[in-house]
Amino acid sequence: MFAAETFVNSIEHPETGLIGTMDAKRIANIAQNRVILKFIIEATLFCAKQCIALRGDCEDLESSNNPGNFLSILKLMANHNDVLHTHLYSPAMKNATYISPRTQNELLNIMGRHIVLFGIVQEIKTAKFYSILADEVTSHNTEHLALCTRFFYAKGDIREEFMTFLSLERLTGRYIAEKIIEFLKDNDLNVENIRGQGYDGASNMSSERVGVQAQIKESSPLATYIHCSSHQLNLVITHSCILAEVRNVVDQLQHCCHFFLASPKRSGLLLLELIVSKGVVDKCKRKPLLDLCKTRWAERHTAYQHFYQSFTYIVEALEYIGCKLHLHEYGELYADWDVNSRSDAQQILHGITNFSFIVVFLTIYQYLSHLSGITIKLQSRAIDVYEAFEMIEDIRKVYKNERDNVDGGFQIIYDQAVRMADKVGCIVSAPRTVGRQQHRSNVSSTTPIEHYKRNVAIPFLDHVLTHLNEQFSSLSVNASYLLTIVPSVMFSKPSKLSEITAQYQQDLPSPCRAIGDGNVQMEVHAHKATVMCVKWNHNGHWLTSAARDHLIKIFDIRRDVNTGTPNHH
């Protein structure tokens, strides 16, 4: 009878049976584990969002040392939740607490790859066109490539998102490009829709033949590569200074600067006895010499200026150190120099009092002075890509004018060199011409001025012009013309949409409307008319209409020049 009642009860109330009890216990465990896992995920996500480290000195909740942000946050949460508190301090299974570093990494990987990255990819697909940014970094003797994308977000903003780190076994342009393309295809992103590339100036990234930008352009010809304009200008100067004469002068300048700056005694002689007392340089600076910048060649102009102003007194100091001259004027205060200092001083003195050194130095100083101000402007946060390319175009015209009028311009430089040479007792001369010469140019000439003009001034200007054209390609310039439809630029700069409509014709929603200059100008005038329908708020900013605001965000390619990345859609 009892068995029959038990059987009937199990049929009518299955949850009271053994299987039902086990199922209820399992469901309760699942719900409890989900509560615990939710806290663990929230703590991990909080650390990731705040960009703070998860781990500390000791991965132990009971330790008095720093357990790390992740465990500290869990301990704080456990004070307000009994389930989490029991799990942390009295777990049912000590081998399944899910708070180990391995679990943290797995959770971060799942959230990053399957949630965050998936959402970014879907937004890029909605935008269709996008740009890529990449830079290399070495960590634990392993090369990694940080890959980011930039695209127009559907809500009306320009988005720049980190995608992934790619491990690199080789650093060739083709291999890096293959890794980038492989990642994009794995995430179902169309490589042909890339419209911009932003990398550093390394040859494996920027080369037009074998670099990453060239490999990407094979799949997407409109993927414009734009490097930081200031860095590109720096590369122009670097490549132009590979001339043997220029390189030798720069090395001698570096040696001279190190000779004085490496010793407080030698620097004190030059500063206190020779410079400040005679008022050669600005007394507020009180620095007769500056070290030549090793990375930013354009910043060396200030060092060149100090050397130029202090040249005769540097020679006098070297004569005092190396040859014991001018003792009657400066006494015995700095007379006790060691043998190495005297030898180095004599060597430097012989180098910088050579007429060839003086002429080449003044040539560099004069021709690179055109870049002294633009490098600072190109690093300004307020500058846009269109303005940057306008500055570069102005510089190109300046150097073109210098090259066309090299006779008159170099005559001024040469006359100044003669005057400087006379002050230090240097004889005006030109190196002898020989049959074979590897360490300097050897173009035949009849006079010293003709020699230096043919072998130094003209090649230097030609190098600058050639590398200006190579570094700032026409494709990048055309892409910058998109900025001319932004209202702040439209009324102050001429519209150049003919070039960009031809370049991006296949991307336009109605290509037939863009054919012909008449239609282009008509669209520009229509856009200007829309822009005119604006009001001003109390801050003096434009309150844009919906149509104008939409156009701005579609075509805006403003960027920070230091990132070197176009924002075109």
Side-chain angles (χ1 to χ4, degrees):
M1 191 67 180
F2 176 75
E5 291 178 354
T6 303
F7 176 74
V8 172
N9 187 54
S10 65
I11 297 298
E12 295 178 350
H13 305 283
E15 66 277 3
T16 61
L18 177 61
I19 298 178
T21 302
M22 293 177 63
D23 288 342
K25 184 64 175 177
R26 180 176 62 83
I27 293 173
N29 286 336
I30 292 175
Q32 180 175 309
N33 290 337
R34 287 180 175 176
V35 171
I36 296 170
L37 186 60
K38 180 180 178 182
F39 283 114
I40 295 174
I41 293 175
E42 287 181 350
T44 306
L45 184 60
F46 177 80
C47 293
K49 282 186 174 182
Q50 297 301 117
C51 297
I52 57 177
L54 279 76
R55 304 170 197 172
D57 300 331
C58 180
E59 298 287 331
D60 187 359
L61 290 170
E62 303 295 340
S63 174
S64 59
N65 296 326
N66 178 20
N69 296 311
F70 173 74
L71 292 181
S72 297
I73 293 172
L74 285 180
K75 289 172 66 176
L76 180 63
M77 291 179 175
N79 294 333
H80 306 280
N81 187 276
D82 295 336
V83 175
L84 180 61
H85 187 278
T86 302
H87 174 76
L88 293 179
Y89 296 100
S90 300
M93 299 177 63
K94 293 186 178 181
N95 62 343
T97 58
Y98 297 103
I99 58 174
S100 66
R102 179 178 177 180
T103 302
Q104 298 170 24
N105 290 336
E106 290 179 353
L107 288 174
L108 289 173
N109 184 62
I110 292 172
M111 288 186 289
R113 180 174 296 276
H114 300 288
I115 300 176
V116 178
L117 181 59
F118 178 79
I120 294 174
V121 169
Q122 297 307 311
E123 292 172 353
I124 294 175
K125 289 181 179 180
T126 303
K128 186 177 180 181
F129 300 117
Y130 61 98
S131 300
I132 58 175
L133 301 87
D135 197 9
E136 302 163 62
V137 63
T138 302
S139 177
H140 299 83
N141 292 327
T142 304
E143 288 284 347
H144 298 279
L145 186 76
L147 182 64
C148 302
T149 56
R150 199 176 180 99
F151 57 94
F152 174 73
Y153 187 43
K155 293 184 178 179
D157 298 318
I158 300 296
R159 291 274 297 277
E160 182 178 311
E161 298 290 350
F162 170 77
M163 302 296 284
T164 187
F165 283 111
L166 300 175
S167 298
L168 301 178
E169 298 178 0
R170 296 190 299 275
L171 295 178
T172 63
R174 180 171 294 277
Y175 178 78
I176 296 175
E178 289 175 351
K179 294 287 288 185
I180 294 175
I181 294 174
E182 179 184 358
F183 172 81
L184 296 176
K185 289 183 177 180
D186 289 343
N187 288 276
D188 198 26
L189 290 175
N190 191 347
V191 180
E192 296 179 357
N193 289 336
I194 299 176
R195 290 297 178 268
Q197 304 179 71
Y199 318 122
D200 58 24
S203 58
N204 61 337
M205 306 297 288
S206 61
S207 173
E208 294 184 354
R209 293 183 292 273
V210 296
V212 173
Q213 67 134 331
Q215 308 298 325
I216 296 295
K217 283 183 179 179
E218 291 181 0
S219 302
S220 180
L222 294 179
T224 306
Y225 168 67
I226 297 182
H227 185 33
C228 169
S229 298
S230 181
H231 292 171
Q232 285 179 292
L233 201 59
N234 185 66
L235 292 174
V236 170
I237 302 172
T238 302
H239 293 312
S240 301
C241 291
I242 63 175
L243 292 173
E245 291 86 351
V246 176
R247 187 175 63 249
N248 293 337
V249 167
V250 172
D251 291 341
Q252 290 174 347
L253 277 172
Q254 188 76 64
H255 189 193
C256 180
C257 292
H258 283 174
F259 177 77
F260 284 102
L261 298 178
S263 169
K265 183 179 178 181
R266 295 191 291 263
S267 181
L269 169 66
L270 185 61
L271 177 64
L272 299 178
E273 297 293 331
L274 301 177
I275 302 302
V276 175
S277 62
K278 297 181 181 292
V280 177
V281 296
D282 188 356
K283 292 187 178 182
C284 65
K285 297 180 179 178
R286 301 183 64 86
K287 286 186 178 181
L289 283 179
L290 295 178
D291 194 11
L292 302 185
C293 182
K294 296 179 177 60
T295 55
R296 297 182 180 180
W297 283 68
E299 295 296 330
R300 293 189 175 191
H301 179 73
T302 304
Y304 294 156
Q305 183 179 17
H306 281 246
F307 182 85
Y308 172 74
Q309 293 176 341
S310 310
F311 177 71
T312 56
Y313 299 95
I314 292 173
V315 172
E316 191 172 336
L318 291 172
E319 291 175 343
Y320 181 77
I321 297 172
C323 306
K324 294 185 177 181
L325 301 178
H326 315 293
L327 291 177
H328 65 282
E329 184 175 355
Y330 301 107
E332 300 292 334
L333 180 61
Y334 292 102
D336 54 332
W337 300 101
D338 59 86
V339 176
N340 292 332
S341 295
R342 294 185 184 278
S343 176
D344 291 342
Q346 293 172 6
Q347 179 183 356
I348 297 172
L349 179 64
H350 180 268
I352 68 174
T353 54
N354 184 286
F355 186 69
S356 177
F357 172 88
I358 297 174
V359 175
V360 176
F361 167 73
L362 287 178
T363 302
I364 302 171
Y365 178 60
Q366 174 62 29
Y367 288 144
L368 293 186
S369 64
H370 302 307
L371 305 174
S372 59
I374 189 175
T375 54
I376 299 176
K377 293 180 180 178
L378 288 177
Q379 297 176 18
S380 172
R381 295 181 61 88
I383 194 173
D384 56 57
V385 64
Y386 184 81
E387 186 178 355
F389 278 110
E390 276 195 331
M391 290 182 179
I392 298 301
E393 185 60 30
D394 292 340
I395 286 295
R396 187 185 284 111
K397 292 178 180 178
V398 169
Y399 279 105
K400 183 65 169 58
N401 182 65
E402 290 279 10
R403 178 63 181 87
D404 294 339
N405 302 280
V406 66
D407 293 337
F410 186 72
Q411 182 67 53
I412 298 174
I413 296 175
Y414 185 81
D415 293 342
Q416 177 63 17
V418 172
R419 290 191 292 269
M420 285 185 64
D422 183 65
K423 289 182 179 180
V424 297
C426 177
I427 299 175
V428 176
S429 62
R432 62 190 181 91
T433 303
V434 297
R436 293 181 180 180
Q437 180 58 258
Q438 296 180 350
H439 302 291
R440 58 178 172 82
S441 301
N442 200 33
V443 179
S444 60
S445 57
T446 57
T447 61
I449 185 173
E450 185 180 1
H451 170 83
Y452 292 112
K453 181 175 65 177
R454 290 183 177 182
N455 291 278
V456 179
I458 293 177
F460 185 76
L461 290 172
D462 288 342
H463 272 72
V464 172
L465 284 171
T466 300
H467 291 291
L468 275 174
N469 294 329
E470 289 180 356
Q471 293 293 331
F472 300 94
S473 66
S474 59
L475 186 63
S476 301
V477 174
N478 287 344
S480 70
Y481 290 158
L482 285 168
L483 195 65
T484 58
I485 64 174
V486 175
S488 60
V489 181
M490 176 181 294
F491 295 100
S492 59
K493 307 293 182 183
S495 175
K496 299 183 179 181
L497 292 186
S498 300
E499 293 87 346
I500 59 177
T501 50
Q503 179 173 319
Y504 294 103
Q505 183 173 344
Q506 65 182 29
D507 296 339
L508 297 176
S510 300
C512 59
R513 298 184 63 188
I515 299 176
D517 292 340
N519 289 333
V520 172
Q521 295 301 324
M522 184 174 61
E523 292 292 333
V524 172
H525 289 307
H527 180 46
K528 285 185 177 181
T530 304
V531 173
M532 292 299 292
C533 298
V534 296
K535 298 179 181 180
W536 297 84
N537 62 11
H538 64 281
N539 292 323
H541 297 152
W542 285 355
L543 294 176
T544 61
S545 64
R548 172 185 167 277
D549 190 56
H550 180 65
L551 285 172
I552 292 174
K553 291 171 180 176
I554 289 180
F555 294 101
D556 186 18
I557 59 167
R558 283 190 179 275
R559 66 175 177 86
D560 182 355
V561 178
N562 292 322
T563 63
T565 306
N567 300 336
H568 36 347
H569 178 270

